[in-house]
């Protein structure tokens, strides 16, 4: 694979990982089909899937700088929910991110008032772990059918 082909395959894998409807579930098989090795397909798909976490966090924090928006968002949050999320939210984020998708999970976690650091750490680790699991599953499946 030439450098140009690699960049094109990596860019496509990243983009599909970034898009809300596809994420890593489609990005990894596309990366493998485009000729990327399993490690590269996993990396670019996970990287594309992790970027939205930070974009949503940044956008949410910027929205909160607008007084009227911050007042509305504050009404949506409950103190009890924030306490629970601060203590156990990372578990929910880790488990729910692959099921709900990073865009939905990021919006839900920030909207409910989860602290930024535990949210970003749990979601990033979740995406990385599930990306590896997906890649290993695909590789094992291909090996079993002899492809």
């Amino acid at each position: 694979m030439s450098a140009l082909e690699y960049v094109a395959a990596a860019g496509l894998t990243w983009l599909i990982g970034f898009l809300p409807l596809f994420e890593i579930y489609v990005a990894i098989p596309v990366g493998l089909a485009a000729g990327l090795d399993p490690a590269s397909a996993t990396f670019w798909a996970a990287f594309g899937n992790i970027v939205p976490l930070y974009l949503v966090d940044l956008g949410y924090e910027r929205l909160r700088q607008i007084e009227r928006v911050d007042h509305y968002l504050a009404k949506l949050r409950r103190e009890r929910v924030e306490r629970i999320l601060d203590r156990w939210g990372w578990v929910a984020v880790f488990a729910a991110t692959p099921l709900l998708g990073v865009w939905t999970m990021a919006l839900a976690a920030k909207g409910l008032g989860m602290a930024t650091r535990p949210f970003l750490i749990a979601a990033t680790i979740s995406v990385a772990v599930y990306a590896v699991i997906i890649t290993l599953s695909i590789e094992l499946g291909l090996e079993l059918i002899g492809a």
Side-chain angles (χ1 to χ4, degrees):
M1 175 180 282
S2 71
L4 184 60
E5 291 171 331
Y6 180 85
V7 169
L12 177 65
T13 303
W14 180 89
L15 179 64
I16 292 172
F18 179 82
L19 296 173
L21 293 176
F22 302 120
E23 300 195 6
I24 57 175
Y25 299 109
V26 176
I28 292 172
V30 166
L32 293 171
L36 293 176
D37 61 280
S40 293
T42 303
F43 172 79
W44 290 111
F47 182 57
N49 208 222
I50 289 169
V51 169
L53 299 169
Y54 293 85
L55 291 177
V56 168
D57 183 64
L58 178 66
Y60 182 83
E61 295 305 322
R62 289 207 173 180
L63 274 176
R64 289 199 58 207
Q65 292 175 354
I66 302 168
E67 186 178 332
R68 191 174 197 166
V69 173
D70 187 46
H71 180 71
Y72 175 75
L73 291 173
K75 284 182 178 180
L76 295 176
R77 294 187 306 254
R78 301 272 191 264
E79 188 176 316
R80 181 171 182 257
V81 172
E82 283 185 34
R83 280 197 319 268
I84 292 169
L85 282 176
D86 285 344
R87 185 169 182 170
W88 300 105
W90 66 272
V91 175
V93 169
F94 183 84
T97 297
L99 300 173
L100 299 175
V102 294
W103 289 93
T104 305
M105 193 66 235
L107 291 170
K110 295 308 293 181
L112 291 172
M114 186 170 181
T116 297
R117 187 173 179 173
F119 157 68
L120 290 176
I121 290 170
T124 301
I125 291 170
S126 176
V127 168
V129 166
Y130 283 98
V132 169
I133 290 171
I134 290 167
T135 303
L136 292 175
S137 299
I138 291 170
E139 289 296 307
L140 178 63
L142 290 174
E143 190 176 307
L144 288 174
I145 62 169

